[in-house]
């Protein structure tokens, strides 16, 4: 266990994975010092390299002398180390398994689809990759409809594990929407997710630190030298 | 929650991921019906396709009307749905986070390294891939030494989450050892893991259904038409 209660988070403001860790800490009202690595793909601090020697990635949660890496792992740790309400994971074993399953789906399938859109070399490749991403989002839309039961979030009335997992897609999707002119979240195909995204961004525990669409797109344009 | 207590596991005897689910069920002394798909890469049952429409892979745990997919997810579900002793995951949040972190490392990095050895096109590629796998196993050896504290298993005196996660590597490593003539688990570089593997295979809750090295190698030789 932690030898003291100091909590620090090494993150990067534009990292969708860092966002997950921040949402978890804010939901649990954990006071923490935020250590931003402004452009972590280019330059990593000594503290980051020391705290996450295996992956060298943000986010890393520093709790006393302990370091916890990998965003979904950090979220689960926060839920377990601060067991006060609100719970981030659902209480029932099957609901927990379901939330973990879909979170993994997002990290494996949805992010792979996003990467394929970004990495496509020609128009044909882009079209195929965009189609694949739309399929993934359609499946996620169906999951949202079942899981939220009309209450607004994957977790029902409140933000839960799967909302946090899914929030990491919002920045990257905003960027590829802006670059490609294609709307991936739209009323016709993903009405639930579209409204969920607005609701999530506007949530009082999220809004103060979640980058806006404009900020993320401006950052990406600068990074990739796009006008 | 499950509407009844019937437990079935769709698995495949040679699947290292199915093994994980079986170990978890046996550790918890859960009575279950085992539904084997003998060569799941070639032929999948209707029940499997219906129960895991997203990935179409084993294992799938059927608990009453519920289906739980993805092996590590199944293991966590079993631990939570049958909360009796022994616990599979450690009790302390940091130890749980650490076990989950290394289980993910196995699935992401170690299995990628195994796949690279299998898929290498020439001797140079094979050498590079083998070197990478050895690096991964050296890191895992270090984790074993720290985590087991000389007590025999990653989980200490008893088989835990990380033991179950790591057990999935044993079959594939046996096969590539037999095919390549290279020893990946060996006294000089991974003494802890080498002894752990023997201890795990011989464990009374594992031995009755875990395929032996000879069985796995014979299956792979037949599958890949190797003499």
């Amino acid at each position: 266990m932690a030898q003291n209660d100091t909590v620090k988070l090494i993150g990067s403001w534009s990292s969708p994975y860092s966002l997950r860790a921040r949402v978890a800490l804010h939901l649990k009202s954990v006071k923490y010092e935020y250590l931003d690595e402004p452009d972590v793909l280019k330059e990593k601090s000594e503290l980051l390299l020391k705290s996450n020697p295996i992956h060298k990635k943000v986010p890393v949660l520093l709790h006393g002398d302990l370091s916890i890496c990998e965003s979904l792992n950090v979220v689960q740790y926060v839920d377990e180390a601060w067991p006060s309400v609100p719970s981030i994971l659902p209480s029932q074993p099957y609901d927990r398994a379901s939330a973990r399953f879909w979170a993994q789906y997002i990290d494996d399938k949805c992010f792979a689809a996003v990467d394929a859109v970004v990495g496509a070399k020609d128009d044909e490749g882009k079209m195929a990759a965009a189609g694949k991403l739309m399929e993934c989002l359609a499946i996620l839309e169906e999951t949202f409809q079942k899981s939220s039961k009309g209450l607004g979030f994957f977790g029902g009335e409140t933000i839960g594990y799967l909302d946090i997992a899914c929030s990491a897609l919002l920045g990257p999707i905003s960027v590829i929407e802006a670059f490609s002119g294609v709307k991936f979240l739209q009323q016709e195909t993903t009405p639930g997710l579209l409204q969920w995204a607005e609701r999530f961004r506007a949530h009082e525990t999220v809004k103060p630190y979640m980058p806006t669409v404009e900020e993320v797109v401006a950052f990406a344009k600068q990074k990739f030298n796009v006008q």
Side-chain angles (χ1 to χ4, degrees), chain A:
Chain A
M1 286 298 285
Q3 287 168 31
N4 66 55
D5 277 345
T6 312
V7 181
K8 297 178 184 180
L9 181 74
I10 311 175
S12 187
W13 77 273
S14 66
S15 155
Y17 301 106
S18 292
L19 175 69
R20 288 176 170 168
R22 298 197 78 177
V23 175
L25 289 165
H26 282 264
L27 278 177
K28 290 283 187 174
S29 306
V30 176
K31 291 205 189 325
Y32 67 101
E33 184 183 348
Y34 179 59
L35 308 172
D36 195 70
E37 311 245 337
D39 196 356
V40 73
L41 295 182
K42 275 194 187 161
E43 198 179 350
K44 297 168 201 289
S45 70
E46 282 301 310
L47 183 64
L48 172 58
L49 295 174
K50 191 185 108 191
S51 308
N52 188 0
I54 299 295
H55 300 301
K56 304 176 179 65
K57 287 179 179 173
V58 293
V60 179
L61 183 70
L62 304 172
H63 190 187
D65 297 334
L66 306 172
S67 55
I68 299 97
C69 307
E70 298 288 85
S71 64
L72 291 177
N73 204 25
V74 169
V75 173
Q76 290 187 83
Y77 175 81
V78 168
D79 200 29
E80 294 176 348
W82 288 274
S84 57
V85 288
S87 270
I88 293 176
L89 274 149
S91 59
Q92 295 300 321
Y94 178 72
D95 297 335
R96 294 165 71 85
S98 186
R100 288 189 182 118
F101 174 88
W102 288 109
Q104 198 66 43
Y105 177 82
I106 288 165
D107 275 10
D108 291 346
K109 302 293 179 186
C110 298
F111 270 101
V114 166
D115 288 348
V117 173
V118 174
K121 299 291 180 210
D122 51 33
D123 282 353
E124 199 182 345
K126 272 201 171 59
M127 286 285 284
K132 185 74 197 149
L133 177 55
M134 281 178 174
E135 276 175 34
C136 286
L137 293 173
I139 289 173
L140 213 52
E141 170 74 17
E142 204 179 314
T143 303
F144 176 79
Q145 298 293 351
K146 280 187 201 162
S147 176
S148 65
K149 296 169 190 156
L151 295 173
F153 292 102
F154 283 95
E157 287 179 346
T158 53
I159 289 177
Y161 187 67
L162 193 45
D163 295 283
I164 295 176
C166 197
S167 70
L169 283 172
L170 295 179
I173 286 178
S174 301
V175 170
I176 56 175
E177 284 187 342
F179 281 26
S180 68
V182 178
K183 282 283 169 201
F184 288 93
L185 291 183
Q186 48 169 296
Q187 191 58 36
E188 290 70 28
T189 53
T190 56
L193 288 180
L194 187 67
Q195 286 164 41
W196 166 85
E198 281 178 29
R199 202 174 295 122
F200 188 89
R201 287 183 176 285
H203 195 280
E204 59 179 359
T205 45
V206 173
K207 199 176 176 185
Y209 53 87
M210 182 171 179
T212 63
V213 172
E214 293 71 25
E215 285 167 341
V216 172
V217 171
F219 179 78
K221 282 188 173 171
Q222 191 187 27
K223 199 168 152 188
F224 295 109
N225 281 321
V226 174
Q227 297 302 315

